[in-house]
Amino acid sequence: MIYSLWIFDRHCNCIFDKEYTVNQSTSIVNSKEQQSRGKLIYGMVHSLKAMSTKIAPGNTLRTLTTGKYRIHALFTASNLWIVIFSDLTHHELHERLDKIYELYLKYVVHNMLKPIDLRESENAKESDKITSPSFIKAVDQVLCL
Amino acid sequence: MNTTTGTSKTASAANTTSLASSKTIKQIGETVWKNRTVKINAELFTLTYGSIVSQLCQDYQRDFKKVNDQLFSMGYNIGIRLIEDFLARTAIPRCDNFVTTSEVISKCAFKIFLNITPHVTNWSNTKNSFSLIFDENPLSDFVELPMDASKELWYSNILCGVLKGALEMVQLDCEVYFVSDVLRGNTQTELRVKLNKVLKDEMPAGED
């Protein structure tokens, strides 16, 4: 099963997170309690990513497996990160990462009246995140197949 | 704990691993244009842009410097979004050098969004600025500049803004401006792109 989804923007901020672990109907979106965990995940992925590029230039981190869970990550040239935590039964989630990037495109980037850079807009707050209900719904459909 | 890594980001991007060859860049551009681009009527597009420019000229009482700036800033706002669209469709990774960047802009970006391939030329010695020469420009079909505009208005200035915004989002701080335009009576339409510096990716704030 999928445990959680995290999206980070180019300013290293978590702009979307969703937990699926509790129970799928009451999953937690953009939770305040997860803020520090988001920072830890960013730090871990950041270090591994830097490390893998250092060892082989042009190389990118794709997946990371531990004893209990697996991480799939997508990094775009614009420095948007999409990270999925899943159990060990999922081996290849990169197609779904691409789909989520397409959904981000459709519901966030193409939504011209919403700021694309959640931190640079006027009255930006530390906690500004993607809240579009259609985005959340579409993401659920991709992840809960 | 073990990690697997790879040079390509996505399965669909398997062919983008060696961006060095310009043939690959051209192929990506053509494939995306053919298979993953929704086409619209060219006249509708040209006339829509024309009516925007003409409205701006009216709004700014024919102060063409202000119209240029406004077109640039509209372009910038498009560019910072359009880059995500571009990356999602092509899955191209960061370019190693500015020469590759120029190829991607001309053969891939312009191909996908406007179905044109401007020539890259006039490289500076340091390889940090180049010109794009437009043989055709879908924005300015049917257009003749009125006398009072022909010295000051850069009719397609929105393109400069789009490039500026899009390049900035992939950490390339550039100056983008028109040098000449056939609409002004010049022999060719030339757009200059000059790299100021490569911006550093932001680092996470240290834990206090």
Side-chain angles (χ1 to χ4, degrees):
Chain A
M1 74 173 283
I2 307 283
Y3 293 142
S4 59
L5 167 72
W6 303 78
I7 301 179
F8 300 93
D9 72 356
R10 56 205 300 274
H11 306 297
C12 320
N13 293 310
C14 175
I15 53 167
F16 184 78
D17 67 80
K18 181 151 187 186
E19 282 281 336
Y20 290 93
T21 30
V22 188
N23 151 354
Q24 286 189 1
S25 54
T26 61
S27 53
I28 308 161
V29 186
N30 293 335
S31 141
K32 271 250 160 64
E33 286 75 52
Q34 297 286 16
Q35 267 182 11
S36 56
R37 186 184 282 194
K39 281 181 187 161
L40 288 174
I41 291 170
Y42 189 94
M44 173 178 74
V45 176
H46 182 269
S47 312
L48 282 168
K49 184 172 174 271
M51 193 67 187
S52 48
T53 318
K54 213 169 190 176
I55 293 171
N59 191 19
T60 355
L61 178 71
R62 286 163 60 81
T63 57
L64 157 71
T65 313
T66 69
K68 289 256 163 96
Y69 61 88
R70 187 169 277 139
I71 296 173
H72 288 79
L74 171 74
F75 309 100
T76 73
S78 53
N79 229 8
L80 185 84
W81 297 10
I82 304 173
V83 180
I84 298 175
F85 278 64
S86 70
D87 64 13
L88 297 176
T89 57
H90 291 286
H91 292 280
E92 184 49 59
L93 289 174
H94 286 97
E95 256 177 47
R96 293 202 209 172
L97 283 170
D98 286 342
K99 271 196 196 137
I100 292 172
Y101 188 32
E102 274 165 28
L103 296 177
Y104 172 81
L105 194 72
K106 189 171 167 193
Y107 294 109
V108 182
V109 176
H110 288 175
N111 196 345
M112 295 302 278
L113 295 179
K114 289 273 178 121
I116 174 156
D117 202 325
L118 293 165
R119 290 298 185 279
E120 274 184 359
S121 57
E122 286 172 46
N123 314 319
K125 277 189 244 92
E126 178 69 16
S127 53
D128 277 351
K129 299 210 173 184
I130 302 170
T131 48
S132 155
S134 355
F135 176 76
I136 297 170
K137 206 172 146 196
V139 162
D140 286 352
Q141 274 170 0
V142 170
L143 288 182
C144 299
L145 289 175
Chain B
M1 195 186 258
N2 69 76
T3 62
T4 53
T5 58
T7 32
S8 73
K9 281 193 314 236
T10 61
S12 63
N15 58 347
T16 64
T17 44
S18 60
L19 263 188
S21 99
S22 61
K23 203 177 170 194
T24 332
I25 296 174
K26 198 172 168 211
Q27 279 167 353
I28 297 171
E30 276 165 8
T31 318
V32 174
W33 166 257
K34 221 190 258 169
N35 304 322
R36 304 188 65 182
T37 302
V38 181
K39 281 87 176 170
I40 63 157
N41 182 289
E43 285 180 21
L44 173 68
F45 174 72
T46 307
L47 295 177
T48 306
Y49 183 69
S51 61
I52 289 173
V53 179
S54 110
Q55 185 65 46
L56 285 175
C57 291
Q58 218 173 61
D59 290 353
Y60 288 105
Q61 275 119 36
R62 307 188 81 72
D63 181 339
F64 298 110
K65 291 219 167 74
K66 279 190 189 153
V67 176
N68 290 341
D69 290 348
Q70 190 60 28
L71 285 172
F72 187 93
S73 123
M74 287 164 67
Y76 181 86
N77 289 328
I78 296 174
I80 58 172
R81 288 172 189 261
L82 202 63
I83 184 70
E84 297 290 353
D85 200 320
F86 178 73
L87 294 172
R89 282 197 235 188
T90 59
I92 289 181
R94 292 256 172 101
C95 299
D96 300 327
N97 54 56
F98 209 46
V99 178
T100 317
T101 309
S102 72
E103 298 276 313
V104 172
I105 291 173
S106 124
K107 298 204 173 85
C108 228
F110 274 104
K111 176 72 194 175
I112 293 171
F113 293 115
L114 291 176
N115 193 24
I116 55 174
T117 314
H119 302 292
V120 179
T121 178
N122 289 351
W123 277 100
S124 64
N125 291 333
T126 46
K127 293 278 179 203
N128 65 357
S129 65
F130 63 88
S131 291
L132 291 167
I133 308 289
F134 293 83
D135 291 333
E136 46 180 341
N137 178 358
L139 290 179
S140 64
D141 284 342
F142 327 123
V143 176
E144 281 175 25
L145 291 185
M147 284 299 279
D148 61 337
S150 67
K151 284 225 168 63
E152 287 185 272
L153 178 67
W154 293 116
Y155 184 81
S156 307
N157 213 35
I158 200 163
L159 292 180
C160 298
V162 172
L163 282 172
K164 164 88 184 165
L167 288 168
E168 196 175 299
M169 290 303 113
V170 288
Q171 308 295 54
L172 298 171
D173 176 20
C174 297
E175 264 173 67
V176 190
Y177 51 90
F178 272 104
V179 178
S180 61
D181 189 341
V182 286
L183 292 183
R184 288 185 173 206
N186 304 119
T187 48
Q188 58 184 12
T189 302
E190 176 177 352
L191 188 155
R192 192 94 188 137
V193 183
K194 181 166 169 273
L195 176 68
N196 290 333
K197 63 174 175 202
V198 180
L199 304 167
K200 284 206 173 116
D201 285 335
E202 285 180 39
M203 297 284 280
E207 286 292 310
D208 296 322

